[in-house]
Amino acid sequence: MSDWKAKRFWKEATVEQAEEGFEVRLDGRPVKTPAKRSLILPTQAMAAVVAAEWDAQEGEIKPHLMPATKTANAALDKVVGQHAEVADMLADYGDSDLLCYRADRPAELVARQAALWDPMLEWAQQTFGVTLALRTGVMHQPQDAAVLAVLRQQTHALSAFELAAFHDLVSLSGSLILGFAAARQARDVEALWDLSRLDEIWQAEQWGVDDEAEEMAAIKKASFLHANTMFTLCRAA
């Protein structure tokens, strides 16, 4: 029995309007999450993407080819029941945001961090009315509590589905501010990803590319871009 694999048993995946959103159905039967909750999505656009993943399955079901379904399952099975805890965990990134921790040398790296990261902190100030303090080195120094409270409020305001996508935007980039910038489409999402890897890109320029590190970075980038797409779908008309 350990070799048993779930296989496609349906002819068609469809989207039907439900009381709380849009439901994905297989031959008219509702899809369930791993925790047996109904797979109901907040927008028709997101439901269509999830349904398309199910329709694309042939023979043995391959969950790794269904990233939108995976994110939806996480929202329903994990975030819904512990929204506050997830929001707090992500808001905590503001206290040690990647954009605030700067190198003290070499001068070229210091200048590049200032040129590329300062505009994002200025965006945060203009958008949320908060000013995050810069730090030199890697030792943690707490940010102002009032600043963090504003960012925490913004994080808690996200829906369960938004928070599930936001989780990857923040955790993969290491920056609450870059996560918000991606979610609010403040900059091109690929450019934001590159900002999160500024130090790694600098090191590669100086010492050469590490193929293994680049391969891992490519996987993380794909997840970051997917999370951005899912967040956008949460607010699609």
Side-chain angles (χ1 to χ4, degrees):
M1 292 297 292
S2 60
D3 295 329
W4 181 85
K5 301 291 184 182
K7 295 183 179 181
R8 178 166 181 156
F9 56 85
W10 63 94
K11 294 181 179 180
E12 182 183 23
T14 59
V15 173
E16 303 290 341
Q17 189 157 12
E19 184 175 344
E20 298 178 359
F22 297 87
E23 188 172 50
V24 177
R25 297 182 180 180
L26 306 178
D27 294 341
R29 290 174 289 185
V31 176
K32 299 292 186 180
T33 69
K36 306 305 180 184
R37 294 180 172 87
S38 294
L39 189 60
I40 299 178
L41 294 307
T43 66
Q44 187 171 13
M46 181 183 288
V49 171
V50 172
E53 288 184 345
W54 286 87
D55 246 349
Q57 295 295 304
E58 296 182 0
E60 182 182 312
I61 299 175
K62 299 178 176 62
H64 67 281
L65 298 179
M66 307 171 75
T69 302
K70 180 179 179 181
T71 301
N73 287 339
L76 292 166
D77 288 350
K78 297 179 181 180
V79 181
V80 167
Q82 47 186 347
H83 185 282
E85 293 87 342
V86 175
D88 280 337
M89 176 187 69
L90 296 176
D92 285 345
Y93 275 81
D95 196 35
S96 56
D97 199 284
L98 169 74
L99 303 182
C100 297
Y101 285 80
R102 306 297 178 87
D104 56 2
R105 60 182 187 278
E108 293 85 353
L109 176 57
V110 173
R112 186 181 297 189
Q113 288 178 337
L116 297 179
W117 286 353
D118 284 0
M120 298 313 305
L121 294 178
E122 291 169 6
W123 173 82
Q125 198 285 324
Q126 294 168 2
T127 303
F128 304 120
V130 299
T131 299
L132 289 168
L134 301 184
R135 315 300 187 193
T136 300
V138 297
M139 295 298 294
H140 176 254
Q141 299 178 52
Q143 295 284 344
D144 183 85
V147 168
L148 296 179
V150 172
L151 295 175
R152 190 172 304 278
Q153 182 181 37
Q154 292 291 329
T155 306
H156 277 262
L158 299 175
S159 71
F161 279 89
E162 290 171 337
L163 207 56
F166 193 62
H167 174 277
D168 285 355
L169 291 175
V170 174
S171 62
L172 289 170
S173 68
S175 169
L176 182 64
I177 301 305
L178 290 180
F180 274 124
R184 292 179 174 234
Q185 300 180 336
R187 299 288 189 279
D188 174 76
V189 65
E190 296 208 27
L192 291 173
W193 174 251
D194 287 343
L195 288 180
S196 77
R197 299 195 66 247
L198 187 154
D199 290 348
E200 290 87 344
I201 292 171
W202 168 266
Q203 291 295 331
E205 291 173 355
Q206 308 310 306
W207 311 110
V209 173
D210 181 320
D211 291 338
E212 185 175 342
E214 287 299 306
E215 182 178 347
M216 182 58 66
I219 294 172
K220 291 181 178 180
K221 178 181 179 179
S223 296
F224 185 82
L225 298 181
H226 164 72
N228 182 72
T229 297
M230 291 300 291
F231 194 99
T232 301
L233 289 173
C234 287
R235 300 184 174 185

